[in-house]
Amino acid sequence: MSRDMMASFELYQPDTVEGAVELLGRFGADGWALAGGNDSFDWFKDRIKRPKYVVDLSGIAALKGIRETVDGGVEIGALTTLTEVERSPLIQERYQVLADAARRVASPQIRNAGTIGGNVSQDARCWYYRYGVNCYRAGGNTCYADTPEGQNREHCLWGSDRCVAVSPSDTAPAFVALDAKMVIVGPKGQREVPAEEFFIGPNVDITRMTVLEDGEVLTAIRVPAEWSGARFYFEKVADRNTWDFALVNVAAAMKVSGAAGSERIDAIRIAAGAVQCVPRRLTVVEEVVTGQAKNAETASLAGQSAVRGATPLNFNHFKIPLLQNLVTRAVRDA
Ligand SMILES: Cc1cc2nc3c(=O)[nH]c(=O)nc-3n(C[C@H](O)[C@H](O)[C@H](O)COP(=O)(O)OP(=O)(O)OC[C@H]3O[C@@H](n4cnc5c(N)ncnc54)[C@H](O)[C@@H]3O)c2cc1C
Ligand code: SF4
C-alpha cells in the first residue's frame, strides 16, 4: 500500500456551526470534520481513511475559548487547544484535574495544535487498526490483537466485545470525574450528553468511539460548578514521559470534611482511562470510600476494589497492579 501522499479531497472552511453541520449532514459518511488534524492527518497520510469532503472547523470562532457559565461552571469550546486548557487560569483555579490531564497529552507541539474536542473524539490507537488491517473495527471479521500472540499490551481489561482497544484520551477520564456535559449540534438540533455516556463501547457500535453521528459537531464541553475547587488527582503512566499514550491513567474529584489527619470522604467521582474502550468510571471505588475516613486503609481498599473483575489479555496483566496502585494513590493523595 502506498503511504507517501494523501489522497485528494474537497476542502470546506465554514465560519459558522450551522454551516459546518449543513455540510457534514450533506456529505454523510463521505465527510470528515477536521479540528487540529493530529489524528486526522495520520489517517489521511496513511491513506487508510479517504474522505471525499473535509470540513475544517478551525475558522469557526464560536467554537473557541473558555468561558464562565451562569451557574459558576465553565464552558470550553471544542476547538480550544489543549495548551489553552492546560494554561487557563479559570481551569487551574476550579478544575486542576483537567489542566493536569491536558498537560500530560503528547508533546507541546501536539497540544498547541490539538483541540480538546479532537482529544475526546479521537479514534482507537490499536496498532493493527492504525496499520489498516481489516479487523472488526475496520469492518472485517477478526481481531488481530485478541490472539495468543497478538500485541495487546496496551489493550483492555474490561468491556471487550470483538474489539479489545481502549479509550486513548487523557482528558476523557477527567471529564467523567467532573461530570461534564458534551454539547453536540447536528441536523436534528442540539443535545447535551453526559461525558460518561458520550463514549461508547464496541457492544454499542464497533465503528465509533463516541455517540457522535455523521453530520454532528461537538461544539463545547460544559463542566458544572458542583466539583469546582474540589480536591483532585490525576496520574498517567506511559512507557515514555512525552509523546506517548497512557498505559493507564486515573482522574479523581473528591470532597472531604474534617480536620487534617482525621478527614472523611464525603463524595468522590473517579475514572480510569486505557483500561476499557470507554473511560471506566470506578463506581465500586466510589461506593467503597464514600463516608469513610481518608486514610491509608481506605485507599488500599479502594485500590483493591478498582480491579475487581478485570480480565487481562496475554500481555497486559501488568495493568492490574498498575491501576490498583494509581487508585490507591488517588484516594490517599487527592
Ligand atoms: C504522536 C502523538 C501522540 C499522542 N499522544 C497522546 C496522549 O498522550 N494523550 C492523548 O490523550 N492523546 C494523544 N494523542 C492524540 C491527540 O491528542 C489527539 O489526536 C488530538 O488531541 C486530536 O485533536 P485534533 O484537534 O488534532 O483532532 P483531529 O485530528 O482534527 O480530529 C480527531 C477526530 O475527532 C473528530 N473531531 C475533532 N473535533 C471534532 C468536533 N468538534 N466535532 C466532531 N468531531 C470532531 C475528527 O473528525 C477526527 O475523527 C497523540 C497524537 C499523536 C499524533
Ligand atoms: S483491538 Fe479492535 S481495533 Fe485492534 S485489531 Fe482488534 S478489533 Fe481491530
Side-chain angles (χ1 to χ4, degrees):
M1 183 193 315
S2 154
R3 293 183 181 233
D4 53 353
M5 200 190 285
M6 273 193 265
S8 60
F9 50 74
E10 276 181 33
L11 179 67
Y12 291 78
Q13 298 185 298
D15 55 10
T16 62
V17 174
E18 295 71 28
V21 167
E22 193 279 315
L23 288 165
L24 288 165
R26 191 187 333 152
F27 300 143
D30 291 329
W32 186 283
L34 179 72
N38 286 291
D39 198 8
S40 304
F41 286 120
D42 272 1
W43 284 121
F44 300 171
K45 284 188 289 185
D46 287 344
R47 299 175 78 91
I48 295 167
K49 306 269 185 187
R50 301 167 74 150
K52 289 190 187 141
Y53 311 101
V54 171
V55 179
D56 174 10
L57 306 175
S58 67
I60 307 177
L63 293 179
K64 295 179 184 172
I66 299 169
R67 319 165 261 278
E68 270 188 278
T69 55
V70 282
D71 71 344
V74 165
E75 179 175 287
I76 308 168
L79 266 280
T80 308
T81 66
L82 290 157
T83 302
E84 288 171 276
V85 172
E86 169 195 343
R87 296 194 183 158
S88 158
L90 202 54
I91 304 279
Q92 288 179 0
E93 182 198 314
R94 297 185 184 178
Y95 307 110
Q96 185 64 45
V97 66
L98 181 57
D100 289 346
R103 185 175 307 112
R104 290 293 279 113
V105 172
S107 63
Q109 293 85 348
I110 290 171
R111 295 196 294 275
N112 285 342
T115 65
I116 195 75
N119 189 257
V120 294
S121 308
Q122 62 177 299
D123 206 345
R125 279 275 161 187
C126 171
W127 300 116
Y128 299 98
Y129 176 55
R130 291 274 165 170
Y131 190 72
V133 299
N134 194 30
C135 66
Y136 282 128
R137 186 169 286 280
N141 62 2
T142 192
C143 172
Y144 295 88
D146 191 10
T147 59
E149 290 177 5
Q151 290 187 34
N152 51 40
R153 202 175 153 266
E154 291 86 0
H155 292 67
C156 73
L157 295 176
W158 286 277
S160 67
D161 181 338
R162 295 157 293 152
C163 178
V164 293
V166 294
S167 165
S169 164
D170 284 318
T171 62
F175 284 122
V176 172
L178 292 168
D179 199 13
K181 306 288 181 293
M182 321 305 262
V183 185
I184 298 169
V185 177
K188 294 183 204 144
Q190 179 174 314
R191 61 190 175 124
E192 210 177 275
V193 179
E196 208 179 337
E197 292 165 25
F198 177 74
F199 303 96
I200 55 174
N203 57 327
V204 178
D205 185 344
I206 202 165
T207 64
R208 291 186 288 161
M209 300 288 282
T210 71
V211 296
L212 286 172
E213 290 178 11
D214 287 340
E216 288 191 318
V217 173
L218 175 68
T219 57
I221 303 174
R222 292 187 182 137
V223 189
E226 192 188 340
W227 294 90
S228 173
R231 301 266 279 265
F232 296 119
Y233 191 88
F234 181 83
E235 187 170 355
K236 163 181 176 176
V237 173
D239 283 323
R240 303 181 305 173
N241 271 335
T242 188
W243 238 64
D244 213 350
F245 288 88
L247 291 168
V248 178
N249 61 23
V250 165
M254 187 191 286
K255 292 180 190 172
V256 300
S257 58
S262 58
E263 287 170 334
R264 185 162 298 278
I265 299 169
D266 293 332
I268 180 172
R269 281 180 70 101
I270 181 165
V275 293
Q276 191 168 334
C277 190
V278 297
R280 180 174 177 80
R281 185 169 167 206
L282 302 171
T283 42
V284 178
V285 172
E286 294 172 5
E287 282 160 20
V288 164
V289 308
T290 301
Q292 300 302 314
K294 186 173 180 301
N295 57 24
E297 193 187 336
T298 303
S300 169
L301 275 176
Q304 288 164 37
S305 54
V307 297
R308 263 188 231 150
T311 311
L313 303 163
N314 261 11
F315 298 105
N316 72 353
H317 288 69
F318 73 96
K319 285 194 178 191
I320 295 178
L322 185 53
L323 175 64
Q324 180 168 344
N325 286 337
L326 294 197
V327 170
T328 303
R329 289 209 282 271
V331 171
R332 190 187 65 201
D333 299 341

